[in-house]
């Protein structure tokens, strides 16, 4: 199975660590939105899209890439790291999932975990979630990736 993971990890490398953990399981290449080759994404069996969360949204470089994708078909997943927990009625990943579905992707699931965050109010205390993503978070990311690899249906 050919898999590509597109990852925008800009502050502390939180999301890149999660992407690398998933890539080990999926045998995937991890690329930034700027490095993503549209032909490679179209030819992949599974494409992951992930970033840190900025003001309750995924990084604009990632969403801009998805908006620029031509309509097509394929399997995808979305992942995120954030300093604060998701609010269940409005998960951080939902807008990107909806964009991907609008492009014709079958979104197989999403994953999120906490990450080290030094956003302005948290910077005053040295940041929050200093040890995240931790070993358990990365193991959960790998388990999620394993379910993506092993199943053809939706996972969460």
């Amino acid at each position: 199975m050919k898999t590509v993971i597109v990852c925008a990890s800009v502050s502390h490398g939180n999301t890149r660590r999660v992407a690398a953990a998933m890539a080990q399981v999926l045998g995937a290449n991890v690329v930034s939105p700027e490095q993503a080759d549209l032909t490679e994404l179209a030819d992949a069996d599974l494409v992951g899209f992930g970033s840190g969360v900025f003001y309750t949204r995924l990084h604009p470089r990632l969403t801009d890439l998805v908006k620029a994708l031509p309509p097509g078909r394929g399997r995808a997943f979305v992942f995120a790291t954030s300093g604060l927990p998701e609010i269940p009625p409005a998960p951080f990943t939902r807008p990107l999932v909806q964009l991907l579905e609008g492009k014709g992707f079958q979104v197989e699931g999403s994953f999120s975990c906490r990450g080290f965050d030094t956003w302005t109010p948290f910077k005053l205390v040295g940041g929050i979630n200093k040890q995240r993503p931790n070993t358990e978070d990365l193991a959960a990311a790998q388990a999620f990736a394993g379910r993506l690899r092993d199943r053809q249906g939706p996972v969460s």
Side-chain angles (χ1 to χ4, degrees):
M1 174 172 73
K2 182 177 179 184
T3 305
V4 178
I5 298 175
V6 182
C7 175
S9 184
V10 299
S11 296
H12 303 290
N14 297 326
T15 313
R16 182 71 182 198
R17 290 175 54 212
V18 170
M22 291 178 175
Q24 286 179 335
V25 173
L26 296 169
N29 292 327
V30 179
V31 299
S32 70
E34 296 76 22
Q35 295 169 320
D37 178 317
L38 297 182
T39 304
E40 182 182 23
L41 297 181
D43 291 342
D45 299 306
L46 178 65
V47 183
F49 296 91
S51 85
V53 174
F54 302 87
Y55 302 101
T56 71
R57 301 212 182 276
L58 297 183
H59 199 282
R61 290 180 10 222
L62 189 66
T63 54
D64 289 347
L65 170 68
V66 172
K67 288 175 184 175
L69 290 173
R73 296 188 327 227
R75 296 173 61 217
F77 66 95
V78 178
F79 63 101
T81 59
S82 64
L84 297 173
E86 284 188 291
I87 300 167
F92 305 130
T93 55
R94 182 180 296 156
L96 191 61
V97 166
Q98 291 171 335
L99 274 174
L100 287 164
E101 289 173 342
K103 292 287 183 172
F105 281 91
Q106 177 183 340
V107 179
E108 299 287 330
S110 62
F111 175 85
S112 67
C113 68
R114 296 288 192 82
F116 179 49
D117 189 350
T118 54
W119 178 56
T120 303
F122 306 131
K123 189 178 227 175
L124 298 172
V125 295
I128 59 172
N129 303 316
K130 293 179 184 177
Q131 303 302 317
R132 306 282 298 268
N134 59 26
T135 304
E136 292 86 18
D137 297 323
L138 298 177
Q142 289 181 319
F144 172 80
R147 290 189 300 274
L148 289 171
R149 180 195 60 212
D150 297 341
R151 288 207 241 149
Q152 295 296 315
V155 283
S156 44

